[in-house]
């Protein structure tokens, strides 16, 4: 008869009586005959696994029950005596399926064969708790459903005993029993009645609560906010705001460094955004330098900032836009250099040193008035993306399993965007990419020939490189075409080697800081006085950066050959940055000037110092990373850990020193206010006086409606504008009026505040009736209508 143990669930009906005895034993997974389950009264009622398994098996007849009683001197696990509870709970997995411990025999009944020595798998015929058909195993080998109730509420004979279930008691513990029965109720005919409550229900695991949509969204936002790249981006922006302060203090009225070139570049962003919305076909035919063609290509265009130029209108919005992009350009440069150093294998602090030193190097403070030079963050960011997509790093080499064509596409897109900001920085970057691709291809095939094995690369990665490279080249050609047209129309605009010599810095420039450096500016005043053109010749990347890079040659996470390659890159780029000052440039800059298309348009070799700074930053990142790794090891060895936190805090010292050396005293002058006459003047118009500096203000003022203006300032002055300035010296007279009418000029605006010391100081109030023109005072200007 059965015990009063609670069953695990509902029992599936099984054949009774002689039918069950005559049914052949079920084959096990190993091919041996299945062992019928023994009477539940031979199992311990203290083991959860044994309790559930015995409750699932119906009682056998009394004879079988008597035969199954072990002798007093029986050994557990032998002669049909089940193993003790502690053994069944530890290594006897048979107890979970309703079978005795491994290897046992009872009354010459064959033991159930299991899948392993511990009985980890029950016989296949009883994995779902149902009898097998014709002695074959059940096909539902993976089922873990509890056995079903019989329709009359009772279970039948020993056939069900031969089918031990693999269902785990905790998976379906606590499921309902048939009502009307109590724990321990039995029937005299040997059939057990299922119980109502399961005593093991209290031990079941509580279901995990399902989070709501808002909870999941909050967790996702939290993970995003604490992600490394989110924190790196936010820190880059915050540092840019602080390091460029007070740029954003009065962003609608001031400009960093001076108000000449920044005024020109503020107009460039405004024009590109305006014309791409109004008439994209006129992009290169700007409203300035009237009536010249291709006038937008007279200098670097910052075309990549055109989306920002689509927001707002007028001079004040143009200034606000410029100042915001000025700050964001610093942030992007920091983030890009950080990403590159991280991809190459540097630690977080080392990468931060590389990012800050690359962006806030003292020599770049002299370039604060040149947004196209400050906007260099796309260079390291594109290199980082391309390296990530190709699964390559400086520290770990080529890892094919890390390839990802999506990053390759992104890298080429960022590179193309960087090129669209201007060729002054973008052209050397384009040639560097071309050389890097060539070197990579050669090394790839050399390695393949040397190892005699196919180096993994992949078709998708190849397609990404081909399409990305074609897109980058297409953007470069489309950008270069207008500049070639300008050179064709104005051949005198092309640079000569003598022009390059004027701006070539001597070797002393690499240790001389500009006046805008808060730390070194005053100390280097005498050294700057010895330079012919110090704004382009003060090339100090930072003494702290020099020291860290020098240390990186001897103590670094980079391999020795990589350190030597970085050092060679530093020396080579320094030689190129000296232009014609390095042995007349015959082996460095001059060959590039003569043979590389477009290189002759670069008149300032010193700006190649950008690449020197980046390579020095990578050397420094290797040294700082090695330092932080060593400090982490020392901290872990300390028991107790104090003063471990202080040692780890000391690793921030290089980052702090690099940041302090980048502090500036950049002036932020107030931009001249737009004359009221410019708001209503009809174009084409000429604003007098006209010269390179004042015309850049006129370009900014023309952002109110973008009327055609004769004025303009750029890297060169067209001869026609020179003629206009010469002839208009005597304005208003008949000669100048007739000449301006021939050009198509209809309005002349003469600014009273600028005529002191000029010929117009006398003629500004002269009568004009005899010339057939009209004159009107509008604010502080005189407007002549031709």
């Amino acid at each position: 008869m059965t015990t009063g143990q609670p069953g695990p669930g509902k029992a599936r009906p099984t054949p009774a009586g002689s039918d069950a005895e005559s049914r052949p034993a079920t084959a096990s997974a190993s091919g041996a005959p299945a062992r019928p389950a023994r009477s539940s009264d031979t199992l311990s009622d203290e083991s959860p696994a044994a309790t559930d398994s015995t409750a699932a098996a119906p009682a056998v007849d009394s004879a079988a029950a008597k035969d199954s009683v072990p002798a007093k001197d029986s050994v557990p696990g032998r002669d049909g005596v089940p193993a003790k509870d502690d053994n069944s709970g530890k290594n006897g997995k048979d107890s979970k399926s309703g079978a005795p411990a491994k290897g046992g025999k009872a009354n010459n009944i064959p033991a159930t064969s299991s899948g392993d020595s511990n009985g980890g798998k029950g016989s296949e015929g009883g994995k779902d708790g149902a009898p097998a058909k014709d002695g074959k195993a059940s096909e539902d080998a993976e089922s873990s459903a509890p056995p079903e109730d019989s329709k009359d509420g009772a279970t039948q004979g020993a056939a069900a005993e031969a089918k031990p279930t693999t269902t785990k008691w905790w998976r379906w513990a606590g499921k309902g029993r048939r009502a009307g029965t109590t724990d321990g109720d039995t029937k005299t005919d040997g059939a057990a009645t299922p119980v109502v409550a399961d005593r093991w229900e209290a031990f079941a695991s509580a279901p995990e609560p399902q989070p709501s949509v808002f909870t999941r969204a909050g967790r996702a936002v939290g993970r995003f906010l604490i992600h490394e790249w989110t924190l790196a981006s936010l820190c880059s922006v915050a540092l840019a705001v602080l390091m460029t302060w007070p740029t954003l203090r009065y962003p609608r009225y001031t400009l960093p460094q001076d108000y000449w070139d920044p005024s020109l570049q503020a107009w460039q962003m405004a024009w590109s955004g305006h014309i791409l919305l109004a008439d994209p076909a006129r992009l290169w035919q700007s409203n300035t330098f009237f009536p010249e063609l291709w006038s937008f290509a007279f200098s670097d265009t910052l075309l990549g900032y055109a989306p920002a130029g689509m927001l707002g209108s007028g001079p004040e919005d143009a200034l606000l836009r410029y100042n915001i992009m000025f700050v964001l350009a610093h942030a992007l440069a920091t983030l890009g250099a950080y990403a590159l150093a991280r991809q190459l294998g540097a630690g977080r602090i080392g990468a931060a040193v590389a990012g800050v030193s690359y962006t806030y190097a003292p020599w770049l403070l002299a370039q604060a008035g040149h947004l196209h030079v400050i906007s260099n963050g796309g260079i390291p960011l594109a290199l980082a993306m391309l390296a990530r997509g190709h699964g390559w790093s400086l520290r770990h080499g080529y890892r094919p399993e890390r390839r990802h064509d999506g990053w390759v596409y992104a890298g080429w897109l960022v590179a193309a965007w960087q090129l669209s900001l201007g060729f002054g920085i973008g052209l050397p970057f384009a040639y560097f990419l071309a050389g890097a691709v060539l070197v990579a291809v050669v090394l790839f095939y050399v390695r393949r020939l040397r190892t005699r094995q196919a180096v993994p690369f992949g078709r998708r990665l190849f397609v990404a490189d081909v399409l990305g490279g074609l897109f980058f080249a297409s953007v470069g050609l489309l950008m270069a075409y207008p500049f070639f047209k300008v050179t064709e129309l104005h051949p005198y605009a092309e640079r000569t080697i003598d022009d390059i010599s004027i701006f070539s810095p001597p070797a002393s420039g690499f240790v001389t800081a500009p006046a805008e450096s808060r730390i070194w500016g005053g100390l280097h005043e005498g050294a700057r006085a010895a330079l012919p053109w110090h704004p382009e010749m003060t090339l100090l990347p930072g003494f702290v950066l020099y020291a860290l890079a020098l240390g990186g040659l001897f103590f670094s996470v980079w391999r020795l050959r990589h350190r030597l390659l970085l050092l060679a890159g530093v020396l080579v780029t320094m030689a190129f940055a000296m232009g014609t000052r390095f042995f007349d440039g015959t082996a460095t800059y001059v060959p590039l000037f003569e043979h590389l298309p477009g290189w002759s348009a670069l008149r300032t070799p010193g700006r190649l110092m950008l690449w020197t700074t980046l390579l020095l930053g990578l050397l420094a990142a290797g040294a700082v990373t090695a330092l932080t790794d060593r400090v982490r090891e020392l901290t872990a060895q300390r028991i107790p850990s104090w003063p471990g936190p202080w040692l780890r805090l000391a690793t921030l010292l290089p980052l702090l020193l690099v940041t302090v050396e980048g502090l500036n005293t950049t002036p932020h002058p107030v931009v001249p206010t737009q004359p009221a006459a410019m708001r209503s003047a009809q174009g084409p118009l000429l604003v007098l006086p006209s010269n390179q500096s004042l015309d850049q203000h006129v370009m900014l003022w023309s952002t109110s409606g973008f009327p055609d203006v004769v004025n303009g300032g750029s890297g060169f002055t067209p001869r026609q504008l020179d003629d206009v300035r010469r002839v208009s010296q005597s304005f208003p007279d008949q000669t100048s009026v007739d000449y301006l009418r021939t050009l198509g000029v209809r309005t002349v605006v003469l600014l009273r505040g600028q005529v002191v010391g000029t010929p117009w100081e006398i003629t500004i109030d002269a009568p004009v009736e005899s010339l057939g023109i009209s004159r009107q005072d509008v604010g502080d200007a005189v407007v002549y209508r031709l």
Side-chain angles (χ1 to χ4, degrees):
M1 57 184 296
T2 62
T3 64
Q5 300 297 336
K10 298 178 181 181
R12 179 171 294 179
T14 57
S18 61
D19 292 339
E21 293 177 359
S22 62
R23 186 177 298 276
T26 305
S28 67
S30 61
R35 174 185 177 182
R38 304 196 352 255
S39 175
S40 60
D41 62 352
T42 63
L43 299 176
S44 171
D45 60 352
E46 296 177 3
S47 171
T51 302
D52 286 343
S53 61
T54 56
V60 299
D61 54 26
S62 58
K66 292 179 181 180
D67 292 339
S68 63
V69 176
K72 292 182 180 180
D73 58 349
S74 299
V75 180
R78 298 173 61 185
D79 297 329
V81 179
K84 293 183 180 180
D85 294 341
D86 54 350
N87 292 333
S88 63
K90 293 179 181 177
N91 57 9
K93 294 185 180 180
D94 290 334
S95 62
K96 295 182 181 180
S97 61
K102 61 178 182 177
K105 295 181 180 180
N107 298 325
N108 297 325
I109 298 175
T112 302
S113 177
S114 59
D116 55 49
S117 62
N118 291 328
K121 295 181 181 179
S123 60
E124 295 184 5
K127 288 188 177 182
D128 59 350
K133 297 180 180 181
D134 300 328
K136 294 182 179 180
S138 171
E139 294 182 2
D140 190 9
E142 298 299 328
S143 174
S144 60
E148 300 176 358
D149 254 346
S150 61
K151 294 183 179 180
D152 59 353
T155 58
Q156 304 293 331
E161 298 264 348
K163 312 296 186 291
T165 180
T166 59
T167 303
K168 305 299 186 290
W169 68 274
W170 55 83
R171 293 186 182 177
W172 46 278
K175 293 192 176 180
R177 304 297 192 272
R178 182 176 299 275
T181 59
T182 59
D183 189 13
D185 289 345
T186 60
K187 287 188 176 182
T188 57
D189 59 356
T193 301
V195 295
V196 175
D198 188 350
R199 66 177 62 182
W200 304 108
E201 182 177 358
F203 295 94
S205 301
E208 184 177 354
Q210 187 70 18
S212 64
V213 175
F214 298 102
T215 302
R216 292 196 299 270
R219 291 176 181 176
V221 172
R223 288 192 298 269
F224 173 77
L225 291 178
I226 64 174
H227 196 276
E228 177 186 355
W229 296 111
T230 303
L231 295 176
S233 302
L234 294 177
C235 291
S236 297
V237 173
L239 184 64
V241 173
L242 294 176
M243 295 294 286
T244 60
W245 191 260
T247 298
L248 294 183
R249 187 177 184 181
Y250 304 109
R252 300 173 67 91
Y253 308 103
T254 63
L255 285 172
Q257 188 81 345
D258 56 57
Y259 46 56
W260 294 301
D261 283 354
S263 295
L264 162 66
Q265 293 171 333
W267 165 81
Q268 288 174 331
M269 282 190 285
W271 167 255
S272 60
H274 159 76
I275 201 62
L276 287 178
L277 291 176
D279 187 6
R282 279 195 58 201
L283 172 63
W284 299 102
Q285 318 300 331
S286 74
N287 69 312
T288 59
F289 294 99
F290 178 84
E292 295 286 351
L293 301 175
W294 307 98
S295 55
F296 193 48
F298 284 180
S299 59
D300 277 339
T301 61
L302 293 174
L303 186 59
Y305 289 149
M310 297 177 182
L311 304 175
S313 62
E316 290 187 357
D317 287 345
L319 295 179
L320 175 63
R321 183 186 307 114
Y322 179 92
N323 286 316
I324 291 176
M325 300 311 297
F326 179 79
V327 173
L328 292 181
H330 285 80
L332 181 62
T334 304
L335 180 63
Y338 176 88
L340 179 60
R342 287 289 285 155
Q343 172 59 32
L344 295 182
R348 291 183 177 88
I349 299 178
V353 169
V356 173
S357 63
Y358 175 75
T359 307
Y360 304 103
W363 76 272
L364 279 169
L365 299 177
Q367 304 292 332
H370 302 138
L371 183 58
H372 62 293
V373 179
I374 298 298
S375 300
N376 53 57
I379 294 176
L381 184 60
L383 294 177
M385 289 178 171
L386 290 173
R388 172 66 179 85
H390 289 85
W392 185 85
S393 70
L394 197 64
R395 191 173 184 179
H396 306 290
Y398 178 53
R399 292 180 287 181
E401 68 278 5
R402 292 179 173 263
R403 293 169 296 168
H404 196 292
D405 57 316
W407 285 111
V408 175
Y409 285 114
W412 285 113
L413 287 175
V414 173
W417 173 80
Q418 176 66 54
L419 188 63
S420 69
L421 294 177
F423 284 111
I425 298 299
L427 189 63
F429 177 48
Y431 282 117
F432 174 82
L433 281 179
V437 169
L438 181 61
V439 171
V441 170
V442 172
L443 293 179
F444 181 84
Y445 283 103
V446 167
R447 181 178 179 183
R448 185 170 184 175
L449 292 175
R450 186 180 62 206
T451 60
R452 302 292 184 180
Q453 295 178 354
V455 182
F457 191 79
R459 183 178 302 175
R460 294 179 59 182
L461 203 61
F462 178 76
V463 172
D465 279 322
V466 171
L467 294 181
L470 288 176
F471 178 77
F472 177 80
S474 300
V475 171
L477 292 176
L478 291 175
M479 290 284 298
Y481 180 77
F483 290 92
F484 284 122
K485 294 295 292 185
V486 169
T487 304
E488 180 182 341
L489 295 173
H490 308 277
Y492 50 87
E494 192 170 359
R495 316 292 182 187
T496 64
I497 198 65
D498 294 332
D499 296 329
I500 304 302
S501 300
I502 296 175
F503 296 99
S504 296
S508 60
F510 296 118
V511 292
T512 305
E516 291 81 4
S517 174
R518 183 177 294 274
I519 303 299
W520 308 113
L523 297 175
H524 292 182
E525 185 176 357
R528 286 194 303 273
L531 299 175
W533 183 251
H534 67 83
E536 296 290 348
M537 296 182 180
T538 50
L539 302 180
L540 175 68
F543 290 113
V544 174
L545 184 59
Y546 275 143
L548 292 175
L550 181 62
L553 293 175
F554 304 98
F555 180 69
S556 177
V557 295
W558 313 133
R559 294 183 178 90
L560 178 60
R561 66 175 182 273
H562 294 152
R563 284 177 260 168
L564 295 178
L565 287 175
L566 290 174
L567 176 62
V570 168
L571 298 178
V572 169
T573 52
M574 278 185 168
F576 281 106
M578 293 177 65
T580 59
R581 293 295 186 100
F582 186 79
F583 298 103
D584 296 329
T586 54
T588 55
Y589 200 88
V590 173
L592 301 180
F593 181 87
E594 294 178 346
H595 301 293
L596 289 184
W599 199 273
S600 59
L602 308 180
R603 64 172 181 171
T604 51
R607 293 176 184 176
L608 292 175
M609 191 66 188
L610 189 71
W611 293 91
T612 306
T613 307
L614 181 60
L615 296 174
L616 288 172
L618 294 178
L619 277 172
V624 175
T625 301
L627 174 64
T628 55
D629 290 347
R630 181 57 179 159
V631 168
R632 189 178 298 109
E633 293 173 1
L634 292 176
T635 303
Q637 295 171 2
R638 289 176 176 268
I639 301 177
S641 61
W642 188 89
W646 295 104
L647 284 176
R648 300 191 68 172
L649 188 63
T651 60
L652 297 175
L653 184 60
L655 177 61
L656 178 62
L657 293 177
V658 169
T659 304
V660 169
E661 197 171 18
L663 296 176
N664 68 85
T665 58
T666 302
H668 288 73
V670 177
V671 179
T673 306
Q674 179 191 33
M678 288 287 296
R679 301 191 189 105
S680 57
Q682 299 295 321
L685 63 88
L686 169 67
V687 179
L688 296 175
S690 174
N691 55 55
Q692 175 74 11
S693 300
L694 293 177
D695 281 4
Q696 292 174 334
H697 295 155
V698 175
M699 299 172 79
L700 175 63
W701 296 336
S702 71
T703 55
S704 294
F706 292 96
D708 290 333
V709 295
V710 178
N711 306 74
S714 69
F716 81 101
T717 302
R719 288 179 178 173
Q720 183 172 273
L721 182 56
D722 276 338
D723 293 339
V724 170
R725 290 171 178 171
R726 178 178 50 81
V727 172
S728 61
Q729 291 288 327
S730 59
F731 184 87
D733 66 345
Q734 195 64 51
T735 302
S736 59
V737 169
D738 291 341
Y739 180 75
L740 294 177
R741 283 175 173 170
T742 302
L743 291 179
V745 176
R746 294 293 176 262
T747 306
V748 176
V749 178
L750 184 58
L751 304 177
R752 286 184 178 274
Q754 302 292 335
V755 299
V756 177
T758 67
W760 298 289
E761 187 176 7
I762 300 174
T763 61
I764 190 172
D765 294 320
V768 296
E769 289 78 5
S770 61
L771 301 176
I773 62 177
S774 62
R775 177 181 177 279
Q776 180 184 6
D777 289 325
V778 179
D780 59 348
V782 179
V783 178
Y784 299 88
R785 292 182 174 83
L786 309 185

